[in-house]
């Protein structure tokens, strides 16, 4: 059985040069089953934001690569899109870019009585995140982060 991690690695390899040559950033890749259908989702971005034409270019390039190499035996739908305004923070570089931005973080275990934190990311050093929540600062060990994303403030 082909794992999601294997498919993600194969797709990253297929896209690496194209992404770099065109000034895009590969944010995430998902291969998930929803109902009876499989979806291969590619999330990309670029400085100033990605638009529908950019997504189309990535999709066309990847479709050709997938047809040639055929790494996925199941039938699936390919979707290429922006990660959205509340983009996930996946890589360490995502956290560095998010400093001074509003974030929502969940943890594997409670820290100061909570597993959910929303506030201003003050700093990140690959060991800890420091988030300002109201007038309080919370330090979260990076190893305890279950998920993180940018958050919109209303």
């Amino acid at each position: 059985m082909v794992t999601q991690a294997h498919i993600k690695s194969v797709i990253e390899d297929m896209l690496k040069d194209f992404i770099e040559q065109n000034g895009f950033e590969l944010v995430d890749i998902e291969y998930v089953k929803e109902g009876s259908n499989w979806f291969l989702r590619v999330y990309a971005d670029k400085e100033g934001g990605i638009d529908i034409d950019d997504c189309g270019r990535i999709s066309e390039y990847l479709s050709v690569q997938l047809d040639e190499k055929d790494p996925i035996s199941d039938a699936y739908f390919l979707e290429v899109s922006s990660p959205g305004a509340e983009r996930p923070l996946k890589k360490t570089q995502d956290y560095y870019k998010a400093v001074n931005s509003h974030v929502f973080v969940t943890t594997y275990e409670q820290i100061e009585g909570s597993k959910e934190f929303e506030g201003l990311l003050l700093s990140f050093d690959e060991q800890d995140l420091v988030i300002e929540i109201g007038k309080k600062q919370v330090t979260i060990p990076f190893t305890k982060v279950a998920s993180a994303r940018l958050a919109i403030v209303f």
Side-chain angles (χ1 to χ4, degrees):
M1 180 176 163
V2 178
T3 65
Q4 176 163 343
H6 174 75
I7 289 173
K8 183 175 180 174
S9 176
V10 168
I11 302 305
E12 282 175 353
D13 288 345
M14 284 181 187
L15 283 172
K16 187 176 193 288
D17 291 340
F18 182 82
I19 291 288
E20 288 175 7
Q21 291 167 4
N22 290 281
F24 298 122
E25 173 193 357
L26 186 59
V27 175
D28 198 12
I29 297 169
E30 296 176 339
Y31 183 63
V32 295
K33 189 169 189 177
E34 295 178 1
S36 61
N37 297 313
W38 284 94
F39 292 86
L40 175 60
R41 293 191 176 114
V42 175
Y43 299 95
D45 207 356
K46 72 175 183 184
E47 193 69 35
I50 196 165
D51 62 28
I52 190 116
D53 292 332
D54 295 326
C55 291
R57 287 177 48 219
I58 296 168
S59 180
E60 288 172 18
Y61 174 83
L62 184 55
S63 290
V64 170
Q65 297 299 308
L66 289 166
D67 288 346
E68 286 177 8
K69 296 178 173 98
D70 199 22
I72 303 171
S73 58
D74 297 312
Y76 59 91
F77 294 96
L78 173 62
E79 297 177 352
V80 177
S81 68
S82 158
E86 293 190 333
R87 74 177 276 167
L89 306 179
K90 298 282 188 172
K91 305 170 195 148
T92 56
Q93 70 188 32
D94 297 337
Y95 287 86
Y96 283 117
K97 285 183 190 175
V99 170
N100 294 319
S101 297
H102 202 77
V103 296
F104 178 77
V105 176
T106 62
T107 56
Y108 292 113
E109 57 190 54
Q110 286 193 357
I111 296 170
E112 296 186 22
S114 183
K115 292 174 85 174
E116 294 184 349
F117 305 89
E118 186 168 340
L120 183 67
L121 180 59
L122 295 177
S123 67
F124 172 70
D125 65 7
E126 295 185 34
Q127 301 297 313
D128 296 307
L129 291 81
V130 178
I131 299 176
E132 182 178 69
I133 304 168
K135 295 182 185 214
K136 176 179 162 186
Q137 291 184 10
V138 177
T139 299
I140 301 170
F142 189 51
T143 57
K144 306 270 193 236
V145 173
S147 68
R149 62 172 169 77
L150 295 178
I152 296 174
V153 181
F154 292 99

